[in-house]
Amino acid sequence: MVPSTGYNKTRTAVFISGTGSNLKSLIKFSKTTKSPISIDFIISNNPKAMGLNYAKKFKIKKKVLNFKNKILSEKKLLSVLKINKIDMICLAGFMKILSKNFIKKFKGKILNIHPSLLPKYKGLNTHKRALNNKEKYSGCTVHFVNSRLDSGKIVLQKKVKISKNETEDSLAKKILEQEHKLYPKAILKVFNL
Ligand code: GAR
């Protein structure tokens, strides 16, 4: 990615489905002088997503699109993003799969964070599968989004040690803490900063 010209930061939308703790950490990061991005829009497929509260708190525009009709929702989405001059997308716990057509329109400009050391454990229930397989380590990955699920070019990863009595919940918590640090770092890397 090339940073926006002048003093303007790259206008970014964050897509969420739930708690939005990564969204919160990205908003915090975006307000630092070193951040090449500003968070200008929040999209959710879930009207009850807790993360939507950050829109009000930080005075960021938001839109809920249910994705029941993916073609229609993505059409509305593209229009909203265009009107708001959004040039980059960060998926942060967004649990819907974007279409090839949508991804093509934002080629090389969509990042995702995934709670595993990709290419291991793509998709859902990552922690459960890592524990069942008696992995010694898990972690998180920030990657570019392409048309294959959790398969785009990896930007950064952080390894996390799995302890003896690890549960799904304790592992999720441990990894999430690392996600909050990894996403901003990955954004700096993408912008060559
Ligand atoms: C995070 O652990 C993120 O990596 C994961 O959902 C959680 C969202 O937490 N994403 C996926 O599983 C995507 N396939 P948050 O809403 O608190 O940021």
Side-chain angles (χ1 to χ4, degrees), residues 30-161:
S30 74
K31 292 181 182 299
T32 63
T33 47
K34 67 177 176 187
S35 169
I37 65 162
S38 57
I39 309 294
D40 298 287
F41 222 99
I42 298 167
I43 300 285
S44 176
N45 63 300
N46 172 13
K48 293 192 178 133
M50 289 291 289
L52 282 170
N53 293 328
Y54 294 119
K56 196 169 180 196
K57 184 166 180 202
F58 293 99
K59 298 191 174 60
I60 299 170
K61 284 188 181 180
K62 67 165 195 293
K63 181 143 187 89
V64 176
L65 291 161
N66 64 22
F67 276 76
K68 277 182 187 139
N69 179 337
K70 199 193 269 197
I71 295 178
L72 193 64
S73 287
E74 287 191 346
K75 202 174 159 195
K76 287 184 190 162
L77 182 54
L78 281 169
S79 151
V80 165
L81 297 177
K82 194 172 176 189
I83 291 167
N84 287 279
K85 299 186 167 46
I86 298 300
D87 202 29
M88 184 174 171
I89 294 169
C90 291
L91 307 184
F94 184 63
M95 304 313 256
K96 290 282 171 189
I97 295 175
L98 296 163
S99 74
K100 271 186 187 166
N101 179 53
F102 182 91
I103 293 167
K104 215 163 77 188
K105 296 232 162 72
F106 273 86
K107 197 164 182 265
K109 293 178 171 188
I110 311 178
L111 292 174
N112 180 40
I113 189 151
H114 185 76
S116 79
L117 293 174
L118 290 174
K120 281 193 164 177
Y121 308 116
K122 296 172 183 174
L124 299 175
N125 303 316
T126 53
H127 308 311
K128 191 178 187 173
R129 288 186 283 144
L131 290 175
N132 284 347
N133 286 346
K134 312 242 175 299
E135 295 281 2
K136 289 199 168 65
Y137 294 91
S138 188
C140 45
T141 305
V142 175
H143 64 95
F144 282 101
V145 171
N146 67 11
S147 56
R148 281 170 300 119
L149 182 68
D150 299 327
S151 298
K153 189 171 175 250
I154 290 172
V155 181
L156 275 183
Q157 290 189 307
K158 177 73 186 179
K159 222 167 155 181
V160 165
K161 200 169 177 355

Side-chain angles (χ1 to χ4, degrees), residues 19-22 93 95 113-115 176 179:
T19 317
S21 67
N22 276 292
M95 304 313 256
I113 189 151
H114 185 76
L176 201 53
E179 291 183 38

